[in-house]
Amino acid sequence: MRMAELSSRTGVPVPTIKYYLREGLLPPGERTSPNQALYDESHVRRLKMVRALVEVGKLSIAAVRDVLDAVDAPEKIPFNVLGEMQDRLGPIHPEGSGELWEQADTQVRELLRRRGWLADPDCPPARSLVAALATLAELGRTDLIDLVEVYADAAELVAKVDVTKVVRDQGMDDVVEGAVIGTVLGETMIIALRRLAHQDATARLYGVDRSGGDDE
Amino acid sequence: MRMAELSSRTGVPVPTIKYYLREGLLPPGERTSPNQALYDESHVRRLKMVRALVEVGKLSIAAVRDVLDAVDAPEKIPFNVLGEMQDRLGPIHPEGSGELWEQADTQVRELLRRRGWLADPDCPPARSLVAALATLAELGRTDLIDLVEVYADAAELVAKVDVTKVVRDQGMDDVVEGAVIGTVLGETMIIALRRLAHQDATARLYGVDRSGGDDE
């Protein structure tokens, strides 16, 4: 198909498609003349995925390119591709120092060991967790640190079902693509649902119809 | 205390503190001379919070200012402050159109009704959920849409404990501050833990020690 049809099939405007081509997010089409190229179903599929990562996942163009490079790696060993993808998805949290950071680091290592999770305590997600726990301690909210166990229970439950869903019998390309989509869109869904559930829990506790203030 | 002490107490460099003051993220100190001002414990507390939202929550300066404006609203009605805060935290997802978007919209409204959640189907988190579901449909991954129920179970569980933890007997300022910290740092923790749990689930399914490729 020509670019105009690729655009109408995906809802992505032609200038945006050209931009993605220049940025290497979309492989070039098969050139038929100096000014024309043909695209196929693989372009439709990839373009929709780029769109999802940018628009819904709010990933930067650079992050999308990095993630797609991991997806396109010729040797697809699921554990490695997942790790590569996670490394490239971001966010990266800076390491801090001092007692509170050491405590948080120990806490994350112990959590992984206690739960028997086959996960790398030095990978970006583990470092993000350390940063969040250390920051809670710096804020004096050590009471909120206990929540990590509840979150880990929820994560364990969710991740098992995620992997079951993503691994289907349609080849490794499909699994890897599903892992990217499932990670990014799943995060959007979980964050949205938690905020909605916060509305519910707060409304039940305080009521929603109050019109007066109660500043303390 | 002077700015130098505020800096050493919080670990935030003086130029960064000056930047936050200019951007209105930190209220001005009490001026004692044209070139000097004094800061107190409320500045220490606020500065740590700004730092947490920027460094760990990865919020933009504009988003932090918006969220703090909601926190500082004189009439603190928990349900309203939570809503204001959620509206300002982002991300905002664009609305799409067409059958798949209408289906996703119906699905979210039915989910809220079925679960009896007191939550607004037109609020930003609900629209984010619609965008994620519609995008999964556009990607042809309707099989992943079912995951919304598992995520909603997890969100319900987590949100109840969150609210119990955040509401403690230290005044409404403390509750509102806890809600902001708990929302933002909690999201960082949950996302990190889910990715770690994905590593575990993938390692168990495929093994971690394989060194050969298996491209289909």
Side-chain angles (χ1 to χ4, degrees), chain A residues 76 116 151 162 200 204 214, chain B residues 76 116 118 151 162 204 214:
Chain A
K76 291 195 177 119
Y151 297 163
D162 282 338
D200 178 62
R204 286 179 196 284
D214 60 344
Chain B
K76 291 194 177 124
L118 300 171
Y151 297 163
D162 282 338
R204 287 180 194 284
D214 60 344

Side-chain angles (χ1 to χ4, degrees), chain A residues 131-152:
Chain A
L133 292 173
T135 303
L136 283 176
E138 283 175 354
L139 289 163
R141 293 303 300 248
T142 44
D143 57 317
L144 298 182
I145 290 178
D146 304 342
L147 286 168
V148 75
E149 295 296 337
V150 181
Y151 297 163

Side-chain angles (χ1 to χ4, degrees), chain B residues 68-138:
Chain B
L68 293 179
D69 283 348
V71 168
D72 293 335
E75 292 213 348
K76 291 194 177 124
I77 303 164
F79 188 77
N80 298 355
V81 174
L82 184 77
E84 283 287 322
M85 182 190 80
Q86 289 186 348
D87 290 354
R88 293 161 189 220
L89 270 178
I92 296 294
H93 288 100
E95 291 283 322
S97 59
E99 200 187 335
L100 298 179
W101 284 77
E102 280 164 31
Q103 277 171 15
D105 182 76
T106 304
Q107 201 173 2
V108 169
R109 287 175 199 276
E110 276 173 6
L111 180 136
L112 295 178
R113 193 162 42 232
R114 189 165 11 91
R115 290 183 176 257
W117 284 6
L118 300 171
D120 176 5
D122 296 306
C123 70
R127 305 327 295 170
S128 296
L129 188 57
V130 170
L133 293 173
T135 303
L136 283 176
E138 284 175 352

